[in-house]
Amino acid sequence: MKTNSIHWFKYAAPQNFYFLAGKMWPWFAALAALLMVVGLWISFFVAPVDAQQGQGYRIIFVHVPSSQMSMFIYLVMAAWAGVGLAFNTRLSGMMAAALAPTGALFAFLSLLTGSLWGKPMWGTWWVWDARLTSTLILLFLYLGFLALQSSIDDPRRADKACAVLALVGVVNVPIIYFSVNWWNTLHQGASVSLTRAPSMAAPMLWGMLIMVLAFWMYAIAAALARVRNIILERERHTDWVKNAVE
């Protein structure tokens, strides 16, 4: 047990994690592509037409996974940032920085697909609904993290400043998740829950679950590929980077 712990602990070093990430990210990228193809095929060609929303409901197969991932990635990003702030580990700040662009992408995609769905269903592209507004704040938190990261020349100081911002912003995630229950909003409740049977047909459910898994695989692949670039940038003066590049 102790030997295994020491074995995995070595990957806390950016040099070791760089090569591990290089081996892992292509597999996650391949899984993401495969699952995306299968998920989209089920979602758009196998799943039946919804009795109330017609064909327009199919946008949820992109909207729901992107919304979930935007919240989850923020929690993971804040966790990495918090670990870096508490233990002054270099890789933690790099991982937080690697996750932020993907989280921002999913937050933007959530808002965009939500607007495209809202126009035919609500009759408007946007309302200051509790969930929509809190999701917009989440996007601003991601963008603020990225802006703060790039505005400070010293990476270690930037990591610490971004960690504070990320940890403060965590309070917004439960607001997004529970907003439908806490306030009277236009946004519908969850169709899939761990505490009750799903309220959608089996092909719809399978399409949704596969798309969620595809987005997970993409997020992991993107973060691993991006953190390799960040490691190279920050460790560019070391001998091992020069040898790796050569």
Side-chain angles (χ1 to χ4, degrees):
M1 184 69 177
K2 184 176 181 181
T3 303
N4 291 335
S5 299
I6 295 174
H7 175 74
W8 285 106
F9 185 73
K10 74 176 185 178
Y11 292 113
Q15 176 181 354
N16 295 331
F17 191 79
Y18 173 84
F19 293 106
L20 177 64
K23 296 177 181 179
M24 294 174 62
W25 81 262
W27 291 98
F28 285 105
L31 283 172
L34 176 62
L35 290 168
M36 191 73 69
V37 170
V38 174
L40 289 175
W41 180 73
I42 294 175
S43 302
F44 288 94
F45 299 105
V46 177
V49 178
D50 186 79
Q52 294 180 327
Q53 303 181 36
Q55 298 285 5
Y57 90 97
R58 296 187 191 276
I59 203 166
I60 69 170
F61 293 111
V62 176
H63 174 70
V64 172
S66 61
S67 300
Q68 292 180 352
M69 290 306 299
S70 67
M71 292 185 286
F72 183 75
I73 290 176
Y74 192 91
L75 293 177
V76 176
M77 182 188 77
W80 275 111
V83 170
L85 186 65
F87 300 102
N88 200 30
T89 52
R90 292 181 297 159
L91 181 62
S92 300
M94 297 178 190
M95 281 301 303
L99 287 163
T102 304
L105 171 65
F106 282 133
F108 174 77
L109 190 59
S110 172
L111 291 169
L112 176 62
T113 54
S115 295
L116 293 175
W117 178 85
K119 178 60 177 176
M121 302 305 164
W122 296 343
T124 181
W125 298 102
W126 178 269
V127 292
W128 291 102
D129 178 270
R131 176 160 287 182
L132 273 66
T133 304
S134 52
T135 302
L136 180 62
I137 293 173
L138 180 66
L139 175 60
F140 288 155
L141 285 169
Y142 276 122
L143 296 178
F145 184 100
L146 293 169
L148 186 60
Q149 187 81 43
S150 62
S151 66
I152 302 176
D153 294 331
D154 183 3
R156 302 306 298 276
R157 289 180 54 240
D159 287 344
K160 292 179 180 179
C162 289
V164 174
L165 174 62
L167 291 172
V168 170
V170 165
V171 69
N172 187 55
V173 175
I175 293 176
I176 298 173
Y177 186 80
F178 293 108
S179 59
V180 175
N181 299 325
W182 290 348
W183 295 286
N184 183 23
T185 69
L186 287 175
H187 201 287
Q188 69 184 57
S191 299
V192 180
S193 173
L194 296 176
T195 59
R196 65 177 186 272
S199 59
M200 58 173 58
M204 297 180 183
L205 179 61
W206 278 108
M208 179 78 70
L209 294 177
I210 292 174
M211 287 299 292
V212 168
L213 190 57
F215 277 43
W216 269 76
M217 296 300 103
Y218 169 79
I220 295 172
L224 291 175
R226 191 176 294 113
V227 78
R228 280 168 53 85
N229 293 328
I230 295 174
I231 290 173
L232 288 179
E233 173 65 23
R234 295 194 183 185
E235 304 280 301
R236 63 185 180 276
H237 300 302
T238 61
D239 292 335
W240 76 265
V241 169
K242 295 176 183 178
N243 294 332
V245 171
E246 292 175 359

